[in-house]
Amino acid sequence: DAKTTQPPSMDCAEGRAANLPCNHSTISGNEYVYWYRQIHSQGPQYIIHGLKNNETNEMASLIITEDRKSSTLILPHATLRDTAVYYCIVSDSGAGSYQLTFGKGTKLSVIP
Amino acid sequence: DTGVSQDPRHKITKRGQNVTFRCDPISEHNRLYWYRQTLGQGPEFLTYFQNEAQLEKSRLLSDRFSAERPKGSFSTLEIQRTEQGDSAMYLCASSRADSGNTIYFGEGSWLTVV
């Protein structure tokens, strides 16, 4: 089972910031928080990941709470092309683990 | 394009036929993964390789499914005696084996069994 909880759907107005929440209360110390998105009929696209600190890249920002039990993915200026299913995943995805366990994600609809 | 490449992108086959999908990972990645995704669900892990060794295969759905990575580069996923329930998107992904490294996915191979 997925170790994360996400709302099933969200709407966001085009040009506004989209804030997607994720709860991961059982995260362990060596597990990262990963975000992927999947646009209809395409493979999952990596967005960002973090361990403890907030992270930002050209696509998004990731805010992780101090206790690491929840996080928020921020798309600063949502466009119609950001309409997708967004998956929040916790995994060490490296030496100790080998897979990502996907839940159902959040379906983000960007409204014109 | 230096991403994960999958072939074919779409395959329609008759029930009972065998199908094979190929995956070419990102060149410096030593780990390769196969996932399956059915409509309305998130991707489901099937198996993975580190170099040429298949280190986890218990999640393969049945003995009709097999995967190989003979030289530690490209991989194939074969489904024998296909059934209608095998209709899905088969995703390949790759990564380096170090902790925290990102897993990158290909565009997937759609299988329709008629």
Side-chain angles (χ1 to χ4, degrees):
Chain A
D1 291 342
K3 300 180 187 178
T4 61
T5 304
Q6 299 178 253
S9 63
M10 292 181 63
D11 291 341
C12 178
E14 187 178 17
R16 304 296 295 268
N19 296 278
L20 292 91
C22 180
N23 288 322
H24 32 79
S25 58
T26 62
I27 192 170
S28 60
N30 62 340
E31 288 183 316
Y32 290 75
V33 179
Y34 288 83
W35 283 84
Y36 285 78
R37 72 180 182 184
Q38 191 168 27
I39 297 168
H40 183 61
S41 300
Q42 298 182 18
Q45 179 189 21
Y46 166 77
I47 302 173
I48 199 167
H49 74 284
L51 185 63
K52 296 180 184 177
N53 301 320
N54 299 337
E55 302 288 344
T56 296
N57 64 18
E58 64 278 5
M59 290 183 69
S61 294
L62 173 60
I63 309 298
I64 302 174
T65 58
E66 191 169 345
D67 63 7
R68 303 211 320 128
K69 293 186 176 181
S70 66
S71 61
T72 302
L73 178 75
I74 301 172
L75 308 178
H77 305 287
T79 71
L80 299 178
R81 289 183 294 180
D82 293 323
T83 292
V85 178
Y86 287 76
Y87 296 100
C88 170
I89 300 163
V90 296
S91 175
D92 81 30
S93 285
S97 179
Y98 52 80
Q99 63 166 302
L100 301 173
T101 301
F102 288 79
K104 291 187 180 291
T106 296
K107 181 173 172 55
L108 175 69
S109 298
V110 180
I111 312 294
Chain B
D1 188 336
T2 57
V4 178
S5 176
Q6 293 190 243
D7 184 70
R9 293 293 317 282
H10 298 89
K11 178 73 176 177
I12 300 174
T13 191
K14 291 183 178 179
R15 189 173 52 188
Q17 297 295 304
N18 299 343
V19 296
T20 299
F21 300 108
R22 175 180 169 125
C23 172
D24 288 273
I26 294 171
S27 59
E28 66 268 25
H29 286 182
N30 56 354
R31 281 195 174 178
L32 186 148
Y33 311 79
W34 285 100
Y35 284 74
R36 184 181 82 150
Q37 187 172 22
T38 53
L39 282 175
Q41 303 297 316
E44 172 191 19
F45 171 80
L46 295 179
T47 188
Y48 94 110
F49 294 83
Q50 182 154 320
N51 301 312
E52 66 274 11
Q54 190 172 13
L55 298 185
E56 174 56 60
K57 57 181 179 181
S58 65
R59 308 287 183 90
L60 285 169
L61 300 162
S62 77
D63 59 7
R64 297 185 296 105
F65 287 72
S66 63
E68 294 184 344
R69 193 183 184 199
K71 297 182 180 179
S73 57
F74 73 92
S75 174
T76 57
L77 176 69
E78 182 181 19
I79 309 172
Q80 296 182 325
R81 306 181 302 281
T82 53
E83 302 172 357
Q84 287 188 318
D86 297 332
S87 296
M89 181 164 66
Y90 291 86
L91 290 158
C92 179
S94 70
S95 75
R96 295 200 324 255
D98 304 330
S99 180
N101 269 306
T102 302
I103 295 175
Y104 292 95
F105 286 82
E107 289 300 319
S109 293
W110 282 98
L111 173 65
T112 301
V113 182
V114 297

